[in-house]
């Protein structure tokens, strides 16, 4: 791939000093006569780290070593797997003290061995020697940043000393990139960095690890290469699926920040489940170049422990990239100031926030959701206390539904008409019977004619036939690997996990492999009609942002049954708002902790559902302190407003708290 924005590794080495040097653990800090205990790494912000480096309380190498020590202590296997990493029969471990959040470490073999990390954490499985001087590892990069600071007296960039984990869905020229699969690439390293990764490195960020993920960014809490990953607030629970390793590594202070990816909710979900801040930015704001299987609704977003840190990471890589033509929509729409300048608000006077009650109506949910709803109710009080005007229809009310009913017949097209075959009948060939246009016109003129059951929750969704296979095959063609060239190769040349309690990723790839054409029309109509409708609704109500719980239920037990949709199906609404995938930016902020939870289990005494899946039931409550998050959603490219709201709420509430069982190491206290 020809990515013109990439900073070549050889140039980076020349700027910072010679490449290929092996760094002994603690050698640099010891030589400088620094005391690691002088600086507390846990919960340190970007400002904290850089101030400590500038005042010589710690070196950049010392920062990386501090995180490596925590990874060594806390990143081991967190479940029992008697049949191996791919086998069935996984058992959870209470208080495991381990997370398995990071699957690959950016260390040369000798350094990795000295630290005692297993071979499976190697940064390449196809280059055992790993001696290329143009591929400095994390400690070597940190040493060069220290050398540059000594020479110039200045940080190398705005992210100097910031240690990053990347979801293993993104290309890194120096580390294996397989989206969690155990696929047999000829070279498991892609030829170059994703554009946004290169921008992070150019700003001084140090890429220390690839984060574990649900394979190919799908559901579940497990990948064929990385295995099962756990939640630091309760290791028997999920850290929330696809980008989970990114969220849990930040929560447990294994890295400063991490990069996640969201198609539906995989930035906000892991941020919520791990008591962190996650930004799912406007899709067209960030380049998807170098993403494995990008889609029309995939977004690249940071997870950090504070709003300001997340804003700093976003600002380092946002903007136009000729390698992703969708970013052309952002030209001329970037904010006049750096994103972080909007993340220092204390007051929200004049800001109007609409409460999407449709997404957390207590009357339609079970007790499993009640504590989450109570915490979000308190969040609304907190927003008012800092000056926000909260537009709330109240319990049982609906903020958007009447407005949506007005515009859906006009903009929903066949997506809307297909929902009501009795009103819009078709023959066996799918051709209209009668005048559908006349019926639609009558509904536009008189919204009371729209069926009573239509609401914001039932906005029609469009599919993208063939998009998954097309985007994967295009990515692989650009990557140019000698062994893995197509989705078919991925299907045939890989190890696959085999456990009925976790998604079958092989079946997913096989289903996609049968796709033979691309039809994006339904998905694009979906995106257009939702954006048009919601933007008009916000304008009519003079709203600056929308808010609702990131999820109605706390993190579920690992391996628990999937929730079927319908009455009381809270997990069907986990990270429930789909507005992010329609192009609206969203940010998740910690909103507090539960004191008790209910869990979903299989019910052997009840008949199976129509889909053949076993019935489930709720059990509980049981005492559990688990994170709850609140979402704020804004207009496309209006991240500054969201950062203002999120930072003011954060400053008022301070709900972020580290997981108690993953505290400071004895040597670092």
């Amino acid at each position: 791939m020809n990515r013109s924005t990439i900073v070549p590794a050889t140039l980076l080495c020349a700027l910072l000093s010679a490449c290929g040097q092996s760094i002994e653990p603690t050698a640099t800090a010891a030589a400088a006569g620094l005391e690691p205990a002088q600086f507390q790494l846990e919960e340190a912000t970007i400002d904290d780290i850089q101030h400590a480096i500038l005042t010589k309380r710690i070196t950049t190498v010392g920062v990386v070593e501090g995180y490596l020590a925590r990874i060594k202590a806390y990143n081991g296997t967190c479940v029992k797997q008697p049949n191996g990493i791919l086998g069935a029969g996984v058992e959870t471990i209470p208080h495991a003290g381990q997370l398995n959040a990071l699957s690959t470490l950016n260390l040369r073999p000798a350094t990795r061995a000295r630290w005692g990390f297993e071979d499976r954490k190697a940064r390449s499985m196809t280059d055992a020697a790993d001696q290329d001087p143009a591929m400095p590892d994390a400690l070597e990069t940190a040493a060069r940043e220290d050398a540059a600071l000594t020479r110039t007296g200045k940080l190398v960039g705005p992210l100097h000393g910031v240690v990053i984990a990347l979801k293993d869905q993104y290309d890194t020229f120096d580390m294996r990139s397989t989206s969690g699969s155990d696929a047999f690439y000829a070279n498991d390293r892609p030829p170059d960095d994703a554009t946004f990764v290169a921008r992070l490195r150019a700003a001084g960020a140090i890429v220390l690890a690839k984060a574990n993920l649900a394979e190919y960014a799908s559901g579940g809490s497990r990948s064929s290469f990385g295995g099962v990953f756990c939640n630091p607030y309760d290791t028997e629970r999920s850290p929330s699926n696809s980008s989970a390793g990114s969220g849990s590594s930040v929560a447990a202070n294994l890295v400063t920040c991490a990069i996640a990816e969201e198609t539906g909710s995989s930035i906000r979900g892991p941020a919520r489940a791990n008591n962190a801040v996650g930004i799912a930015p406007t899709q067209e704001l960030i380049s998807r170049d170098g993403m494995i299987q990008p889609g029309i609704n995939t977004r690249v977003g940071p997870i950090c422990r504070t709003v300001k840190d997340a804003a700093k990471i976003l600002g380092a890589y946002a903007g136009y990239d000729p390698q992703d033509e969708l970013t052309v929509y952002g030209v001329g729409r970037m904010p006049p100031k750096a994103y972080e300048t909007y993340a220092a608000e204390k007051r929200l006077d004049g800001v109007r926030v609409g409460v999407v009650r449709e997404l957390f109506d207590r009357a339609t949910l079970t007790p499993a959701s009640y504590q989450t709803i109570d915490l979000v109710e308190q969040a609304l009080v907190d927003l008012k206390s800092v000056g926000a005007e909260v537009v709330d229809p109240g319990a049982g009310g609906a903020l958007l539904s009447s407005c949506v009913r007005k515009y859906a017949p006009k903009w929903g097209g066949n997506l809307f008409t297909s929902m009501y075959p009795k009103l819009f009948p078709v023959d066996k060939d799918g051709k209209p019977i009668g005048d559908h246009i006349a019926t639609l016109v009558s509904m536009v003129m008189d919204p009371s004619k729209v069926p009573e059951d239509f609401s914001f929750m039932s906005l029609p969704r469009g599919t993208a036939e063939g998009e998954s296979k097309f985007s994967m095959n295009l990515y692989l063609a650009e990557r140019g690997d000698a062994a893995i060239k197509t989705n078919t190769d991925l299907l045939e040349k890989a190890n696959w996990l085999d456990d009925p309690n976790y998604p079958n990723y092989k079946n997913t790839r096989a289903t996609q492999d049968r796709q033979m054409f691309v039809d994006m029309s339904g998905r694009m109509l979906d995106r257009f009609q939702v954006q048009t409708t919601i933007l008009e609704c916000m304008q009519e109500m003079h709203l600056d942002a929308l808010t609702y719980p990131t999820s109605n239920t706390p993190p579920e037990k690992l391996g628990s049954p999937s929730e079927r949709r319908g009455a009381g199906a809270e997990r069907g609404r986990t990270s429930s708002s789909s507005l992010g995938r329609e192009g609206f930016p969203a940010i998740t902020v910690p909103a507090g902790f539960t004191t008790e939870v209910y869990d979903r289990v299989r019910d052997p005494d009840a008949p199976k559902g129509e889909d053949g899946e076993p019935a489930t039931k709720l059990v509980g409550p049981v005492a559990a302190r688990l994170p709850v998050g609140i979402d704020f959603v804004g207009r496309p490219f209006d991240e500054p407003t969201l950062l203002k709201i999120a930072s003011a709420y954060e400053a008022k509430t301070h709900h972020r708290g580290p997981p108690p069982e993953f505290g400071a190491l004895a040597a670092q206290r």
Side-chain angles (χ1 to χ4, degrees):
M1 284 172 274
N2 178 22
R3 296 174 182 144
S4 58
T5 54
I6 302 291
V7 177
T10 52
L11 175 58
L12 185 62
C13 291
L15 290 172
L16 295 179
S17 78
C19 291
Q21 300 170 5
S22 179
I23 304 297
E24 294 281 352
T26 72
T28 304
L34 299 176
E35 292 286 344
Q38 289 181 307
F39 176 65
Q40 181 177 333
L41 190 64
E42 296 75 38
E43 299 297 288
T45 65
I46 294 174
D47 285 345
D48 293 336
I49 290 170
Q50 292 180 342
H51 181 261
I53 291 172
L54 287 169
T55 57
K56 303 189 186 315
R57 293 170 59 209
I58 196 169
T59 62
T60 312
V61 167
V63 172
V64 175
E65 289 176 341
Y67 284 123
L68 283 173
R70 294 187 59 78
I71 293 168
K72 178 64 178 173
Y74 293 134
N75 194 55
T77 303
C78 57
V79 295
K80 297 176 184 177
Q81 41 193 31
N83 296 305
I85 195 170
L86 297 170
V90 168
E91 299 177 33
T92 61
I93 303 174
H95 311 288
Q98 303 294 326
L99 294 176
N100 196 30
L102 304 175
S103 55
T104 300
L105 297 177
N106 192 5
L107 298 174
R108 292 197 189 275
T111 304
R112 175 174 47 79
R114 282 195 295 272
W115 278 88
F117 292 113
E118 62 175 321
D119 291 345
R120 200 169 180 84
K121 300 299 183 188
R123 60 181 191 163
S124 174
M125 296 290 150
T126 58
D127 177 15
D130 192 11
Q131 294 178 344
D132 188 343
M135 292 185 181
D137 72 4
L139 283 168
E140 292 165 3
T141 301
R144 290 174 193 105
E145 290 195 0
D146 283 332
L149 177 61
T150 299
R151 289 195 312 271
T152 67
K154 297 179 181 179
L155 301 176
V156 300
L159 298 184
H160 181 127
V162 177
V163 176
I164 298 286
L166 303 172
K167 183 177 182 178
D168 186 30
Q169 195 179 352
Y170 301 121
D171 282 357
T172 46
F173 81 99
D174 50 357
M175 283 190 289
R176 67 185 310 278
S177 304
T178 71
S179 202
S181 70
D182 195 8
F184 310 140
Y185 285 85
N187 182 358
D188 57 11
R189 288 168 164 149
D192 50 17
D193 279 340
T195 293
F196 85 88
V197 175
R199 290 177 177 176
L200 287 173
R201 294 198 212 248
I206 299 170
V207 180
L208 179 58
K210 285 296 189 72
N212 208 349
L213 75 160
E215 195 161 334
Y216 294 114
S218 54
S221 303
R222 190 176 183 181
S223 69
S224 294
F225 183 81
V228 177
F229 33 87
C230 302
N231 190 304
Y233 294 90
D234 181 343
T235 57
E236 292 192 276
R237 295 183 180 273
S238 168
S240 191
N241 298 334
S242 177
S243 301
S246 297
S248 57
S249 63
V250 170
N253 288 277
L254 306 185
V255 290
T256 316
C257 291
I259 304 297
E261 174 275 334
E262 177 164 309
T263 302
S265 60
S266 293
I267 296 170
R268 296 172 295 123
R272 176 272 310 182
N274 292 282
N275 196 230
V277 175
I279 300 176
T282 306
Q283 195 273 344
E284 298 90 345
L285 181 66
I286 309 297
S287 173
R288 298 162 304 145
D289 168 67
M291 177 190 292
I292 298 176
Q293 195 174 340
I296 188 60
N297 53 326
T298 47
R299 283 95 68 206
V300 183
I303 297 178
C304 301
R305 290 178 291 273
T306 69
V307 175
K308 184 178 181 181
D309 279 4
K312 285 186 173 185
I313 299 295
L314 180 68
Y317 65 76
Y320 171 69
D321 173 26
Q323 302 304 319
D324 182 356
E325 53 274 19
L326 285 183
T327 59
V328 75
Y329 285 97
V331 174
R333 303 175 76 175
M334 300 293 288
K337 299 184 293 183
Y339 284 108
E340 66 188 80
T341 63
Y342 301 97
E345 293 294 319
K346 297 293 190 294
R347 298 286 304 174
L348 295 175
D349 301 286
V351 176
R352 285 172 59 88
V353 181
V355 182
V356 188
R357 285 284 177 179
E358 294 93 322
L359 293 174
F360 60 113
D361 182 0
R362 184 185 289 256
T364 67
L365 301 173
T366 70
S369 298
Y370 291 171
Q371 284 204 345
T372 294
I373 293 173
D374 290 343
L375 289 168
V376 173
E377 296 282 8
Q378 179 57 48
L380 302 180
V381 174
D382 293 329
L383 288 169
K384 292 177 184 177
S385 73
V386 294
E389 185 176 352
V390 176
V391 181
D392 184 2
L399 180 75
L400 299 171
S401 291
S402 62
C403 180
V404 165
R405 289 168 60 84
K406 187 190 308 182
Y407 298 110
K410 186 175 184 179
W411 299 113
N414 63 297
L415 296 180
F416 176 78
T417 60
S418 64
M419 296 177 65
Y420 299 102
K422 291 183 178 179
L423 292 174
F424 302 95
V426 297
D427 63 20
K428 60 183 178 62
D429 298 318
K431 295 182 178 180
I433 298 174
D435 190 349
H436 289 190
I437 292 176
T439 305
L440 284 171
V441 168
S442 69
M443 289 181 177
V444 173
M445 297 303 294
D446 182 4
S448 68
K449 294 181 179 180
V450 176
E452 291 184 1
D453 64 346
F454 188 83
S455 69
F456 167 70
M457 294 295 291
S458 54
L459 272 170
R461 310 310 304 271
T463 59
E465 181 71 24
E467 181 197 27
S468 296
K469 180 180 177 181
F470 171 78
S471 61
M472 179 61 83
N473 281 0
L474 180 59
Y475 164 81
L476 292 171
E478 292 177 333
R479 180 163 173 164
D481 188 75
I484 303 290
K485 300 178 180 180
T486 65
N487 183 77
T488 305
D489 290 333
L490 286 176
L491 180 63
E492 296 175 350
K493 300 176 181 180
N495 290 322
W496 300 95
L497 63 87
D498 183 17
D499 188 333
N501 289 321
Y502 291 88
N504 189 314
Y505 305 118
K506 185 176 183 179
N507 285 351
T508 301
R509 295 252 67 84
T511 298
Q512 293 177 358
D513 213 46
R514 291 190 289 270
Q515 300 170 336
M516 295 298 170
F517 68 94
V518 178
D519 182 0
M520 296 286 291
S521 58
R523 186 68 193 86
M524 298 308 292
L525 175 58
D526 172 5
R527 186 179 178 90
F528 175 77
Q529 60 110 4
V530 172
Q531 272 205 19
T532 302
T533 299
I534 299 302
L535 284 171
E536 178 61 25
C537 294
M538 291 178 69
Q539 187 66 20
E540 290 182 5
M541 289 184 273
H542 307 290
L543 298 177
D544 298 296
L546 305 171
T547 191
Y548 50 83
T550 308
S551 168
N552 286 330
T553 55
E556 68 273 14
K557 287 276 190 178
L558 288 167
S560 65
S562 298
E563 180 77 68
R564 291 201 298 270
R565 294 187 182 273
E570 294 94 346
R571 281 197 193 106
R573 296 180 181 180
T574 296
S575 303
S576 48
S577 173
S578 61
L579 294 178
R581 64 172 260 165
E582 308 298 352
F584 293 84
I587 185 169
T588 294
V589 186
F593 292 87
T594 64
T595 58
E596 63 181 30
V597 297
Y598 293 77
D599 288 309
R600 182 68 58 177
V601 299
R602 292 174 178 81
D603 186 356
D605 299 323
K608 292 184 177 181
E610 294 180 359
D611 55 3
E613 290 295 318
T616 65
K617 63 181 179 180
L618 282 178
V619 296
V622 295
R625 188 175 187 270
L626 296 170
V628 170
I630 185 171
D631 268 12
F632 300 105
V633 173
R635 293 177 175 83
F637 297 99
D638 196 14
E639 280 80 0
T641 294
L642 296 185
L643 292 170
K644 290 178 181 179
I645 296 171
S647 61
Y649 174 72
E650 176 187 62
K652 168 66 179 178
T653 59
H654 298 288
H655 285 308
R656 163 64 196 172
E661 296 181 5
F662 294 85
L665 303 179
Q668 293 178 335
R669 292 192 182 102

